Each structure stands twice: as structure tokens, then as C-alpha cells.
Amino acid sequence: MLHYRTYELEPDAPWVVFVHGAGGSSSIWFLQLKDFSRHFNVLMVDLRGHGKSKSEASRHRGKYNFEDITLDIIDVLDHLGIRRAHFIGISLGTILIRQISELAPERVCSMVMGGAIIRLNVRARVLVTLGNMFKRFVPYMWLYSFFAWIIMPKARHRKARMLFVNEAKKVAQKEFMRWFRLTYELKPLLKYFEEKDTGIPTLYLMGEEDYMFLPTVEYIVTRHSRSSLEIIRNSGHVCNVDQPQDFNERAIRFMQCHSACVPVPAVTAAS
């Protein structure tokens, strides 16, 4: 099972599940924990091969896909008896949350998508192509650092950029390769997500300087019901780190507006 941490406010409080992006870990949410734990029970997971879930990755020596990684998260929910929750993700974590809404929509009260990846523009497709061309010849941290700089280029993005780069250094090279292979799945998966409206309340929180991904989110909210977009000023792709107070206030307000998501009593393994 994935490594996870829980912070319980009270038994009948709604749950919020935090899902980080590729190369990160649950530690990237350190600026959210204090504010969210005042209102919700909080669950933070380390995806396989990341953070303290490295032992989980060693059990999966072959290739895996987005569904495999998503089922890891659902396994943790089942283990803890969490039937329904709000989900909040950043970057690639938003794809995993969207996948949860496909595999188990009854588990999802609402979704907050920070720095959401909805479609790959020309620049993103070029980066992915170059990465696949050179991944076997160039040290993976060179690639990751280069991608982080392209996605978060400004001086005020430096804190977020360095946080992700430093976390990525903890990911083994073989594990990085497995995750990078997932880029082959991105185009058809994102196209499917774009065409299908879940009808689940969804808030996109995007930095105004997230030039690579903001335009497609602006488009998608015009097509999907119950989806809305709020733009965070002076922020790039990792807006929960660039402007944490603004990010937290907007996300908490949105989740409280959908607080009808009352937790169902947990089911124990014996039952």
C-alpha cells in the first residue's frame, strides 16, 4: 500500500484527499495542511515510487498505467474506510483525480484541480517528444530540471520549481523512466476526459502565468457543466506554492459550498 498520512479533525468531518504530481510527494502540500485541517479530515498520499512509497514501486518492476496508479489511491481509501471525499490535486495529480471520477465516481464529492493538465499544447508536445528521444542518454534530473524551468520560468516561480526539483531527486532513475512512459498515454486519455463531462462539481485553480495549460482550461470550463475557473494572480503552474493563502481560501470556500458530501460510516474489514 502507498505511504499515507491522515490528520483527523473529527469523525463526522468530510475528508479531503491531496494528490501530488509527478516527481513530487505529499510534502508539496505543507502550505495547505494547517488551513485545511481546521475544516476537514485530511488524507495525503505519496504516489508509487515517490516520497515514502518507494517500497511500493519495487513491487511493480514492469510497466504500469494511469489506472494502476489511480487504483493505488482507491486502495488507501478502502483501507481507511473512506467512502466519499473531496479531492484536490496539482499538475499530473489532477489527471489521477479525473481518473478516480471515472473508476469510482460515487467516491468523489468535488474536485479542485490546481495547475490542471487538460490538453498538451504544441510546446508541451515538443517537450514530451524531446524527453522520449533523450531519456536514455541524458541524466533524468537534467530533463526534469529543464522541464520544470520551461513550465515555471519566472523568478517568482523559483520556490515551486526548486521544491519539485528537490523532490524529484529522491525518485530513482528506473522509476522516473516508468513514469515518463506514461506520456504515451496522455493524448488519448486527455481527449477522452475533454469529451466526457462528469457532472461532478469541479474548480480549476490556475496561475495567471501558467501559459502552457491555462488556455485549455479556459476552453474546457465552457463545455463542462458544474465546472468553474478561478485565476490566481502572480502565480505560475504550481499555484498552491506560489500563492498558498489565495489558493487555500478559494479551495476551502468551494469545498464548503459542496459540503453536502457527508461521510458514510466506515466499513471495517471484518464486515
Side-chain angles (χ1 to χ4, degrees):
M1 183 170 295
L2 299 181
H3 177 267
Y4 65 86
R5 291 178 293 167
T6 59
Y7 304 85
E8 292 197 42
L9 177 64
E10 51 191 38
D12 59 349
W15 282 90
V16 176
V17 181
F18 286 82
V19 183
H20 64 81
S25 73
S26 57
S27 65
I28 66 114
W29 301 110
F30 73 100
L31 294 170
Q32 278 64 61
L33 180 58
K34 183 177 179 181
D35 287 345
F36 279 83
S37 60
R38 289 174 178 159
H39 305 279
F40 306 98
N41 294 330
V42 172
L43 167 62
M44 295 184 176
V45 297
D46 287 339
L47 300 176
R48 68 169 68 173
H50 293 67
K52 295 184 179 179
S53 291
K54 292 181 180 179
S55 58
E56 172 68 15
S58 66
R59 296 174 52 237
H60 303 273
R61 299 186 183 279
K63 298 178 182 178
Y64 45 73
N65 55 35
F66 280 109
E67 183 171 330
D68 296 328
I69 299 170
T70 303
L71 290 173
D72 288 345
I73 301 171
I74 294 176
D75 285 346
V76 176
L77 298 179
D78 291 342
H79 174 72
L80 295 172
I82 300 173
R83 295 240 185 128
R84 302 190 73 203
H86 302 280
F87 288 82
I88 183 165
I90 195 74
S91 192
L92 185 136
T94 63
I95 297 177
L96 301 178
I97 290 173
R98 182 62 180 80
Q99 183 81 324
I100 291 173
S101 74
E102 286 296 317
L103 298 177
E106 73 283 357
R107 313 290 289 264
V108 184
C109 302
S110 72
M111 301 184 289
V112 174
M113 311 290 225
I117 300 175
I118 298 298
R119 188 194 298 167
L120 300 181
N121 64 11
V122 174
R123 184 187 300 181
R125 291 197 298 272
V126 169
L127 283 176
V128 169
T129 300
L130 289 174
N132 279 305
M133 287 173 59
F134 294 107
K135 66 185 179 184
R136 296 190 181 279
F137 311 104
V138 177
Y140 82 96
M141 279 310 304
W142 289 13
L143 283 176
Y144 194 92
S145 300
F146 176 67
F147 290 170
W149 181 78
I150 292 292
I151 296 171
M152 298 172 275
K154 295 203 171 197
R156 61 168 150 254
H157 307 161
R158 185 177 185 277
K159 182 177 180 180
R161 186 169 63 243
M162 294 309 299
L163 176 62
F164 266 80
V165 168
N166 288 334
E167 285 299 313
K169 290 177 181 177
K170 303 173 187 177
V171 178
Q173 173 133 357
K174 288 185 178 179
E175 191 63 23
F176 176 84
M177 293 297 185
R178 293 189 183 103
W179 276 81
F180 206 91
R181 289 191 193 103
L182 294 174
T183 58
Y184 293 114
E185 293 185 34
L186 274 178
K187 188 175 180 180
L189 186 64
L190 293 177
K191 182 175 177 58
Y192 173 76
F193 288 165
E194 181 179 329
E195 292 175 349
K196 183 176 179 183
D197 182 359
T198 65
I200 295 171
T202 303
L203 172 64
Y204 292 94
L205 287 178
M206 304 294 291
E208 67 174 346
E209 297 163 351
D210 193 353
Y211 306 118
M212 191 172 291
F213 301 109
L214 176 58
T216 53
V217 172
E218 290 175 320
Y219 167 73
I220 206 69
V221 295
T222 67
R223 299 190 59 190
H224 289 183
S225 64
R226 307 194 76 186
S227 291
S228 58
L229 166 64
E230 295 186 20
I231 297 175
I232 299 177
R233 296 187 60 190
N234 299 320
S235 177
H237 183 60
V238 187
C239 48
N240 69 302
V241 175
D242 290 340
Q243 298 294 338
Q245 183 175 354
D246 197 353
F247 182 94
N248 295 353
E249 289 174 357
R250 292 171 187 263
I252 290 171
R253 182 169 61 244
F254 173 78
M255 290 178 176
Q256 289 177 329
C257 287
H258 299 281
S259 57
C261 180
V262 178
V264 181
V267 176
T268 63
S271 61

